[in-house]
Amino acid sequence: MLSDEVVRHLKEVADLPDLAGTRYRILRRLGQGGMGSVYLAEDTELRREVALKALSIPDSSGDLASRLLVEARLLARLEHPNIVPIHDVGTLPDGRVYYVMTYVRGRRLDAWRHEAPARPVYLRLFQKVCDAVDFANARGIVHRDLKPENVMVGPFGEALVMDWGVAKVQDAAEERGVLVGTPAYMAPEQASGLTTLIDQRTDVYALGAILYYLLSGRPPYDAAAHAGALQQVVQGPPRPLRQIDPAIPRPLAAICARAMARLARDRYTTARELSEDIDRFLDRLPVYAHRETPLERSARFLDRNRVLVYLVGAYLLMRVIVVLVTAR
Amino acid sequence: MRQVGPRRFPSDVAPTDAWYIDDVAFDDTDIGGGSARFPTTRVSAVLGAQSAEPEVRARSFGALVAAYWKPVYKHVRIRWKKSNEDAKDLTQAFFMRAMEKDFFDAYDKEKGRFRTFLRTCLDRFLSNEDKAEKRLKRGGGGAFLTLDFEGAEAEIESTPPRGDPEQSFDREWVRSLFGLAIEALRADCAARGKEVHFRLFERYDLDDSGGGRPTYAALASEFGLKTTDVTNHLAFARREFRRVLLQTLWELTAGDEEFRREARLLLGAEPEQPA
């Protein structure tokens, strides 16, 4: 009888890419995705570590191989500092397609967030993610599976958007109703299977969902809940951020809500617009997503002009003291 | 070139007279030039069991029994808490009834995995048996299938199934599938004069007798080979193992979609989803 340990080992053995005849040598498995596994491998020619993604599941029709090739070619088009670069693509002796990319030594965004970085730090990092997505969107590519698990934070604080396996080239023909993505971060139109409505604003929604995670430390929808995240997305908006944590500033909560608007037309049109509103918040300027009350405006003015306020206050105090001394 | 004919499965994994359709195996010269597509010429036993042709039906039924009898037996023993004698009778009776009453005709691949369907059929059958106590009436009938129940019983004692009954059934099914693939690989290697390749695979990947895996250098010394030969032979055996495993899986699923879902589970590409 095969023990549980042997079965577990055989699962890995059966999935292991046979890299005979290539310049790569498998070191260990890094992770798994919907289509394939990612391995840490050594490029024996250049003597450096790389990440190698190979199809795991069999491919009777060849369409998975095509998808992986599409992903590789998409990545090759996306030369951007916040998108993981691709180096090579090939076919294994058993017919499976693989591609090789830079091995990012870092942590996933969700793990990084658990270390409680300061708010301005994670907001600046979030803007880098927005930059990468905006760059891809501007070239007609929609990621469709943006989530904290698909963003790596490098050792120098760089953000790299990963896993473009279900990315879609806008206007490309696609089967209607095919559901791809991760429910907790999916836009309503995506969760409803309305694939024809998917465009860059679908990515803007997912960026809003990532911002929700960064601000609250939890995904917008609970995947383990009874109704299921997909159904929750279709049914209505997530719990308001300030109900989870009243300390979250209203303008940030509003930016997040606007990015995650139920209707695409109510969202930021581009990831760049979203990033710019974050910029305004960080610079203590009014954000487009939130109409301030006079009190909020005053508070923001005082906060933004702290030095001036201190100087005026000190001057007025001095005048009062002078008046009091003179009156005596 | 395709061979079609009877092949007896090894006694610990299959009933007698199971039929088996085999593709011509990839040759070494296929390396680097193989098709990018998985060969799917092998007949699906799940669909074959619904065929109108008696021969196809019987052959497919044999393949299904080969893969499922042990998970079924263990499920009856553990989930339904039956004695080993009752579990033997009930396992036999379940497959006999399934064939006589065309249980598997009702399977609709659009509604879920065949594995889940079969387990549901089994639970319903056992529930009915319990209610009507038909098992007593059935007693005394000869064995319908020749199955190694003693071996399965020894497995239950050495490795008691754990987790909930559904997970346990699925785990036993995976174990059974890997068992079939290993035997197919053994036969394949023997037919191609590559027994050493299989023995290396057996020694390195299947041996869990303790002490850890041997190094390639140790295997080279043990088998009188060069270390590079060990590397190449193992790579060959593993590649072939994947191929026969997927062929076996293909045979036990009803179409491309179910095949992919099961392959994801089998190869650990993603966590198991409820059927």
Side-chain angles (χ1 to χ4, degrees):
Chain A
M1 176 198 168
L2 299 173
S3 68
D4 288 346
E5 175 53 29
V6 169
V7 169
R8 190 198 58 73
H9 172 71
L10 286 176
K11 282 184 174 186
E12 283 184 14
V13 163
D15 188 41
L16 207 62
D18 174 11
L19 293 172
T22 73
R23 59 198 273 187
Y24 306 105
R25 186 172 68 87
I26 293 291
L27 299 176
R28 66 184 161 88
R29 191 185 218 172
L30 291 171
Q32 296 158 347
M35 278 199 297
S37 301
V38 180
Y39 294 88
L40 177 63
E42 184 196 4
D43 180 337
T44 55
E45 296 285 332
L46 295 174
R47 294 188 182 165
R48 65 171 177 179
E49 289 181 338
V50 292
L52 186 145
K53 184 172 182 177
L55 272 182
S56 271
I57 48 181
D59 190 20
S60 55
S61 59
D63 62 340
L64 292 181
S66 304
R67 269 171 60 184
L68 202 72
L69 271 176
V70 166
E71 180 182 352
R73 285 168 185 155
L74 276 181
L75 274 177
R77 278 166 62 183
L78 296 176
E79 287 186 57
H80 186 276
N82 300 116
I83 296 177
V84 64
I86 186 168
H87 304 307
D88 195 6
V89 65
T91 306
L92 298 173
D94 63 9
R96 284 185 285 163
V97 173
Y98 69 91
Y99 71 75
V100 179
M101 55 193 155
T102 297
Y103 172 52
V104 182
R105 288 170 182 78
R107 281 156 299 166
R108 283 183 355 190
L109 183 61
D110 50 337
W112 180 79
R113 172 66 178 80
H114 287 150
E115 291 169 14
R119 187 184 291 143
V121 174
Y122 66 68
L123 288 178
R124 290 290 180 208
L125 188 107
F126 175 71
Q127 287 184 293
K128 293 177 186 171
V129 179
C130 291
D131 287 349
V133 174
D134 185 63
F135 178 83
N137 289 168
R139 279 148 190 80
I141 295 166
V142 186
H143 186 289
R144 295 201 295 184
D145 195 19
L146 292 167
K147 55 183 174 181
E149 294 88 331
N150 280 343
V151 177
M152 290 292 286
V153 183
F156 305 109
E158 68 272 33
L160 284 156
V161 180
M162 319 278 289
D163 205 347
W164 295 77
V166 295
K168 178 190 174 217
V169 179
Q170 283 189 48
D171 304 327
E174 186 181 49
E175 193 181 339
R176 284 189 67 170
V178 176
L179 200 65
V180 293
T182 304
Y185 295 89
M186 264 186 198
E189 67 272 17
Q190 197 176 359
S192 306
L194 303 170
T195 48
T196 50
L197 297 184
I198 288 176
D199 61 18
Q200 62 195 37
R201 292 169 299 179
T202 308
D203 277 351
V204 169
Y205 178 96
L207 286 170
I210 292 175
L211 181 60
Y212 187 104
Y213 179 88
L214 289 171
L215 291 168
S216 68
R218 61 172 78 169
Y221 296 96
D222 180 7
H226 178 66
L230 200 63
Q231 205 176 332
Q232 294 175 55
V233 175
V234 175
Q235 280 170 351
R239 193 174 165 204
L241 275 169
R242 284 174 54 83
Q243 275 184 21
I244 298 170
D245 180 3
I248 295 171
R250 284 181 203 279
L252 268 184
I255 289 173
C256 188
R258 180 159 177 189
M260 293 182 72
R262 307 284 302 162
L263 296 173
R265 65 166 184 259
D266 296 334
R267 295 175 204 148
Y268 295 100
T269 313
T270 62
R272 179 183 295 272
E273 283 184 8
L274 166 58
S275 177
E276 284 171 356
D277 230 7
I278 296 280
D279 244 345
R280 277 188 284 276
F281 171 80
L282 288 168
D283 293 342
R284 300 187 186 93
L285 293 170
V287 303
Y288 291 130
H290 178 63
R291 190 187 292 270
E292 291 176 320
T293 62
L295 192 64
E296 284 174 333
R297 192 176 303 129
S298 306
R300 186 175 49 74
F301 177 83
L302 293 177
D303 189 37
R304 182 173 161 77
N305 299 287
R306 220 172 274 172
V307 175
L308 182 65
V309 170
Y310 288 154
L311 286 174
V312 171
Y315 172 75
L316 289 176
L317 183 66
M318 192 182 72
R319 287 298 303 253
V320 169
I321 292 169
V322 167
V323 169
L324 287 175
V325 169
T326 312
R328 196 181 281 178
Chain B
M1 192 174 71
R2 199 171 139 200
Q3 298 167 341
V4 180
R7 180 181 291 181
R8 192 177 289 267
F9 276 89
S11 59
D12 65 331
V13 291
T16 55
D17 295 326
W19 281 62
Y20 181 85
I21 302 176
D22 201 2
D23 293 300
V24 64
F26 290 137
D27 198 71
D28 278 351
T29 53
D30 285 330
I31 293 172
S35 163
R37 296 177 178 197
F38 175 74
T40 55
T41 50
R42 201 161 162 162
V43 175
S44 161
V46 175
L47 298 180
Q50 299 175 331
S51 166
E53 290 181 43
E55 193 183 314
V56 174
R57 218 177 163 85
R59 190 171 60 222
S60 302
F61 193 79
L64 292 179
V65 174
Y68 280 102
W69 78 265
K70 212 177 266 188
V72 165
Y73 176 76
K74 291 184 180 178
H75 188 72
V76 177
R77 283 280 282 124
I78 307 300
R79 161 80 174 79
W80 289 81
K81 298 183 173 58
K82 299 292 181 186
S83 70
N84 61 348
E85 286 305 319
D86 282 354
K88 279 184 202 174
D89 280 355
L90 287 164
T91 303
Q92 295 269 7
F94 170 68
F95 284 116
M96 186 166 69
R97 195 74 55 81
M99 193 150 101
E100 285 171 359
K101 303 286 182 190
D102 303 328
F103 277 5
F104 302 149
D105 278 6
Y107 172 64
D108 178 357
K109 66 179 181 182
E110 304 299 325
K111 291 185 180 167
R113 292 170 167 154
F114 179 76
R115 180 156 46 92
T116 310
F117 169 80
L118 186 138
R119 198 185 63 229
T120 308
C121 284
L122 175 63
D123 284 335
R124 199 172 296 153
F125 166 79
L126 293 168
S127 172
N128 290 338
E129 286 287 299
D130 259 8
K131 282 178 197 161
E133 294 185 355
K134 284 180 183 169
R135 188 184 60 75
L136 294 175
K137 291 179 196 171
R138 201 187 55 250
F144 164 63
L145 302 162
T146 307
L147 303 171
D148 178 21
F149 288 118
E150 284 67 32
E153 195 58 34
E155 287 178 12
I156 292 176
E157 280 171 25
S158 65
T159 313
R162 56 193 165 75
D164 68 50
E166 285 72 25
Q167 285 177 342
S168 176
F169 184 85
D170 292 350
R171 215 169 16 245
E172 290 306 323
W173 177 78
V174 170
R175 202 191 309 281
S176 175
L177 191 70
F178 275 98
L180 290 175
I182 289 167
E183 291 311 323
L185 177 66
R186 187 199 303 275
D188 209 44
C189 285
R192 296 160 73 182
K194 294 184 183 292
E195 288 90 346
V196 174
H197 298 62
F198 182 79
R199 279 170 49 217
L200 280 167
F201 177 72
E202 200 171 34
R203 185 83 177 75
Y204 190 81
D205 289 315
L206 303 183
D207 189 356
D208 66 344
S209 54
R213 296 185 196 290
T215 61
Y216 281 17
L219 283 177
S221 161
E222 186 181 329
F223 284 78
L225 298 168
K226 286 189 284 189
T227 309
T228 49
D229 289 338
V230 171
T231 308
N232 292 337
H233 288 6
L234 268 176
F236 169 85
R238 287 169 161 189
R239 192 169 61 243
E240 288 300 293
F241 175 68
R242 177 184 166 89
R243 184 180 64 79
V244 293
L245 177 71
L246 293 175
Q247 279 193 341
T248 310
L249 179 66
W250 174 260
E251 194 181 27
L252 295 171
T253 49
D256 209 38
E257 196 183 327
E258 189 192 7
F259 174 59
R260 281 189 189 175
R261 284 168 64 199
E262 294 288 32
R264 281 194 182 100
L265 166 68
L266 212 60
L267 302 174
E270 66 184 32
E272 186 177 3
Q273 301 293 318

